[in-house]
Amino acid sequence: MSQPISVAVLGASGRMGATTVQALEAAPDLEVVARLDARDDVAEVATAGAQVAVDFTVPGATEANVHALIDAGVHVVVGTTGWDEGSLGRVREHLAEAPGRGVLVAPNFALGAVLAMRFAAQAARWFESVEVVELHHPDKADAPSGTARHTAAGIAAARRDAGLGPVPDATSQQLDGARGAEVDGIRVHAVRLRGLVAHEEILLGNAGEQLTIRHDSFDRTSFMPGVLHAVREVGRRPGLTVGLEHYLDLG
Ligand SMILES: NC(=O)C1=CN([C@@H]2O[C@H](COP(=O)(O)OP(=O)(O)OC[C@H]3O[C@@H](n4cnc5c(N)ncnc54)[C@H](OP(=O)(O)O)[C@@H]3O)[C@@H](O)[C@H]2O)C=CC1
Ligand SMILES: O=C(O)C1=N[C@H](C(=O)O)C[C@H](O)C1
């Protein structure tokens, strides 16, 4: 058997980091060589000989981590949310000076969630109305979720490509927030409830019919097949990739 891929995990004591360490340790072709948390120096990943680093930290830290990891000479798999066009653009520029290095930023590693986003984008052009509802545990820092933002962006792009106008909405009076946030013209609603893990519904409406696409992560193990696939692939995919769907050959 060939040498295992050596992996560093940033945010290793967190909910996702700890689950990722367990999943990596159970995979014979992957080896955890470093576990980093908030007070550790990112340069340790190079000292430990990591080839790939996985970041499940916090929105305020992830971009700086990625730049430091590129400088440390490793490929990077990012699950942390909070990315925008500006932060992605800076990583793209940095990677242009580090040929061969791969970075994947993926808002959701659950295969069902990735498919739900794809199905929503496919359906979007055929429906007049669409709204996204995401539901999460109340310990989550950001709202709306990275997945909901990515879902809405995909729907908005599909509607634009199909020449559809704005989603109909006659609201002229409202309490602040009653209609949710707007992402690329698509309404996104965030629920925080004890007992939940990570859930999303995409509601699509036409006169006389509704299509609901729903995905549920009941447990953080749901993200692990996608994380392990990304760790194995990222070294073969130079440059910046946004979204696990690009690693899945979905056609
Ligand atoms: N892409 C996906 O499929 C998924 C993405 N997520 C995203 O992953 C992120 C983490 O979620 P979750 O695990 O629930 O959050 P947690 O708060 O449980 O974990 C975050 C961890 O990161 C640590 N940390 C903070 N700053 C740094 C830093 N600069 N370097 C290294 N570690 C740091 C924290 O340490 P301390 O507590 O000491 O500050 C904590 O242990 C979120 O953005 C979430 O949205 C979550 C689930 C799935
Ligand atoms: O914080 C979480 O838990 C999750 N975060 C990601 C997001 O913001 O989309 C992925 C998943 O929804 C779980």
Side-chain angles (χ1 to χ4, degrees), residues 14-138:
R15 287 177 289 264
M16 282 300 291
T19 312
T20 298
V21 167
Q22 271 186 353
L24 291 166
E25 285 177 343
D29 60 327
L30 306 171
E31 183 185 11
V32 180
V33 295
R35 298 170 177 77
L36 275 68
D37 277 298
R39 279 154 294 280
D40 296 320
D41 182 351
V42 178
E44 284 178 32
V45 301
T47 320
Q51 296 162 285
V52 175
V54 180
D55 182 299
F56 278 112
T57 60
V58 290
T62 186
E63 184 191 346
N65 285 345
V66 171
H67 288 293
L69 291 164
I70 295 170
D71 288 336
V74 297
H75 306 289
V76 193
V77 171
V78 183
T80 313
T81 47
W83 290 81
D84 59 23
E85 279 312 312
S87 47
L88 293 170
R90 288 187 288 275
V91 168
R92 218 173 261 120
E93 279 172 25
H94 195 168
L95 283 171
E97 297 157 15
R101 200 85 63 243
V103 174
L104 170 68
V105 176
N108 203 310
F109 285 103
L111 301 176
V114 175
L115 289 170
M117 288 187 263
R118 169 58 67 102
F119 298 154
Q122 282 176 332
R125 60 185 294 218
W126 300 109
F127 286 84
E128 192 182 352
S129 290
V130 56
E131 304 217 358
V132 178
V133 185
E134 57 94 331
L135 310 91
H136 280 84
H137 60 93

Side-chain angles (χ1 to χ4, degrees), residues 79 81 107-108 136-137 140-142 144-148 197-199 220 223:
T81 47
N108 203 310
H136 280 84
H137 60 93
K140 183 168 176 54
D142 54 321
S145 70
T147 308
V197 177
H199 316 260
R220 290 184 178 81
F223 303 111

Side-chain angles (χ1 to χ4, degrees), residues 152-234:
I155 290 168
R159 287 178 66 96
R160 264 194 311 274
D161 289 350
L164 296 189
V167 172
D169 181 0
T171 311
S172 58
Q173 267 195 312
Q174 62 168 309
L175 274 182
D176 269 359
R179 294 287 294 114
E182 203 178 295
V183 178
D184 286 358
I186 306 299
R187 290 282 163 189
V188 178
H189 310 268
V191 175
R192 297 291 174 264
L193 210 66
R194 186 65 70 204
L196 296 181
V197 177
H199 316 260
E200 181 173 83
E201 276 191 3
I202 302 110
L203 312 175
L204 298 123
N206 274 335
E209 65 163 341
Q210 178 177 320
L211 170 65
T212 303
I213 300 170
R214 181 172 173 117
H215 177 261
D216 297 280
S217 274
F218 300 115
D219 189 282
R220 290 184 178 81
T221 53
S222 63
F223 303 111
M224 293 304 119
V227 172
L228 298 195
H229 179 66
V231 167
R232 293 178 179 120
E233 278 293 305
V234 67

